[in-house]
Amino acid sequence: MMTEKIRVMIPEKELDSRIEEMGKRISEDFAGEAVHLVCILKGSAFFVCELAKRITVPVTLDFMQVSSYGAETRSSGVVRLSKDLDEPLNDKNVIIVEDIIDSGRTLSHLVKLLGQRKPRTMSICTLLDKPSRRVVDVEVKYTGFQIPDEFVVGYGLDFDQKYRNLPYIGVLEFDKQEEES
Ligand code: IMP
Ligand code: MG
């Protein structure tokens, strides 16, 4: 029987202090202005809340959900919008908030799509980055942690919709256990 085990990669305290720093940097970079955080559901929901609480300039929030098309069209970076934003982006300092950047396909498509909506500025903020997996180049302004190519869960990230609620980032490991007779 296979059992799933989680090995802690980034403990809650480290996430806290890094997100605190990120919020501070964003607040400095946009001093005297406001920021509009675009949260990419569902994975970024936990991160965006922690980040927003630590930003000291005025913050507005919006949410969108995307999903990749089937395997064939995936390489073209085409993603389907399953929930669009509620508000227009024109004249806003948009910060796209992601949980993790892997191939970069999702984000590069989003940048094109949202860029057409005439934001004043647009930047990308991600909690995690797996640079070794990148296929499409995307410019990321704020990165929490660069991590090796391992499948991680927690802090919003899921495996089969599970583990999003873990307060830390963990590596999912599969343990082979002897069948009990
Ligand atoms: P990309 O288009 O390949 O950059 O896809 C990024 C998306 O893949 C993220 O928003 C996650 O939903 C998912 N993803 C990539 N790596 C992981 C992981 O290690 N754990 C959980 N989800 C992941
Ligand atoms: Mg995601």
Side-chain angles (χ1 to χ4, degrees):
M1 201 181 74
M2 298 279 264
T3 55
E4 295 164 18
K5 241 180 58 183
I6 314 284
R7 168 168 53 85
V8 178
M9 179 190 263
I10 310 172
E12 189 171 11
K13 271 200 175 141
E14 275 179 45
L15 289 160
D16 267 3
S17 55
R18 183 69 184 132
I19 296 172
E20 170 101 44
E21 287 172 7
M22 296 172 88
K24 217 172 147 191
R25 243 197 81 199
I26 290 172
S27 307
E28 287 164 5
D29 289 353
F30 291 94
E33 299 186 56
V35 294
H36 187 65
L37 304 182
V38 168
C39 169
I40 312 302
L41 294 168
K42 302 171 186 167
S44 311
F46 289 70
F47 174 43
V48 82
C49 294
E50 296 306 314
L51 183 69
K53 286 189 278 183
R54 292 162 171 99
I55 295 175
T56 52
V57 298
V59 170
T60 49
L61 281 171
D62 206 347
F63 299 85
M64 73 190 297
Q65 186 157 20
V66 297
S67 45
S68 300
Y69 277 115
E72 285 166 274
T73 44
R74 224 189 145 130
S75 55
S76 65
V78 179
V79 293
R80 188 173 56 89
L81 271 186
S82 40
K83 184 212 175 297
D84 201 349
L85 299 169
D86 292 331
E87 314 280 343
L89 298 181
N90 52 297
D91 279 339
K92 291 179 179 146
N93 292 314
V94 171
I95 302 178
I96 302 174
V97 180
E98 258 288 24
D99 48 359
I100 188 165
I101 307 178
D102 192 41
S103 71
R105 286 188 182 110
T106 310
L107 264 178
S108 93
H109 181 76
L110 276 180
V111 163
K112 276 182 221 148
L113 184 83
L114 300 182
Q116 293 165 358
R117 302 186 187 181
K118 310 266 190 287
R120 187 211 303 264
T121 63
M122 190 168 62
S123 37
I124 294 170
C125 176
T126 187
L127 180 60
L128 306 174
D129 184 12
K130 284 183 192 172
S132 63
R133 298 264 305 168
R134 196 75 84 257
V135 175
V136 184
D137 207 32
V138 281
E139 197 191 317
V140 185
K141 191 162 179 194
Y142 308 100
T143 301
F145 299 87
Q146 292 201 336
I147 61 166
D149 181 15
E150 292 185 282
F151 194 83
V152 289
V153 294
Y155 225 83
L157 289 151
D158 75 303
F159 169 67
D160 206 10
Q161 298 301 325
K162 293 181 295 187
Y163 306 118
R164 292 192 195 274
N165 60 315
L166 295 180
Y168 52 84
I169 296 290
V171 180
L172 188 63
E173 290 173 342
F174 295 94
D175 247 26
K176 213 171 172 179
Q177 292 202 329
E178 295 298 321
E179 204 79 44
E180 281 175 43
S181 53

